[in-house]
Amino acid sequence: MNETNTEAAEYLPFPLEKLMIENLQRNLKKLESVTMKLQNDKVLLHEIRILFDAVIQEFQATKHYLTVDTDIVTSPDFESAFVKLCDGKSASLLPGEKSAVCSLVAINLPPSDLSEMSFDERILDNK
């Protein structure tokens, strides 16, 4: 071994460090697959929750950031209700969830009424 190789050798990882690096790479590949899925415009909201739950199971350190009731979620009731609505489970909404999404309720009028009434009339008619 020449002098250059000897100097470089001091920067090579020890066997245990090499195992730790390989494990880190495997974990990063797992997380990368999830982040790539999250960037897909065809991913459904309930699938995101499933992905987050799986990440929490695999990587406990993410629990604080990814649980349904985490402190970083501004409105856990809204998030939960939104997922249920996207899954077509509106009948299972809890009172707090209903309250959180009530502003999303659309005014449903028959098409004939829509054409005959102005926007402001439709709004006031439903009050």
Side-chain angles (χ1 to χ4, degrees):
M1 192 180 267
N2 65 30
E3 187 177 314
T4 306
N5 289 340
T6 307
E7 289 175 11
E10 40 180 296
Y11 298 105
L12 295 174
F14 291 106
L16 180 59
E17 291 173 322
K18 186 174 187 284
L19 290 173
M20 291 171 65
I21 291 169
E22 289 169 352
N23 187 48
L24 177 62
Q25 285 178 316
R26 280 191 299 277
N27 288 337
L28 288 173
K29 282 184 184 251
K30 290 177 184 177
L31 291 172
E32 180 185 34
S33 74
V34 171
T35 59
M36 296 304 291
K37 181 68 173 182
L38 293 173
Q39 294 174 48
N40 184 323
D41 61 355
K42 292 182 175 37
V43 68
L44 301 174
L45 199 56
H46 78 277
E47 293 173 331
I48 294 171
R49 183 74 263 152
I50 292 168
L51 289 168
F52 282 179
D53 290 343
V55 168
I56 292 167
Q57 285 292 330
E58 186 81 17
F59 306 100
Q60 289 292 310
T62 64
K63 186 175 184 176
H64 171 73
Y65 303 100
L66 301 178
T67 56
V68 174
D69 60 350
T70 185
D71 292 341
I72 64 171
V73 174
T74 306
S75 175
D77 282 338
F78 181 84
E79 179 183 338
S80 177
F82 195 78
V83 170
K84 287 179 182 179
L85 290 171
C86 288
D87 287 343
K89 299 177 181 176
S90 59
S92 67
L93 289 174
L94 301 174
E97 294 169 340
K98 285 180 184 178
S99 175
V101 294
C102 69
S103 63
L104 299 178
V105 175
I107 300 170
N108 292 322
L109 297 174
S112 61
D113 290 343
L114 292 175
S115 62
E116 295 172 11
M117 297 175 72
S118 66
F119 179 70
D120 61 319
E121 289 172 330
R122 289 194 307 262
I123 294 169
L124 296 174
D125 189 54
N126 285 300
K127 291 290 179 185

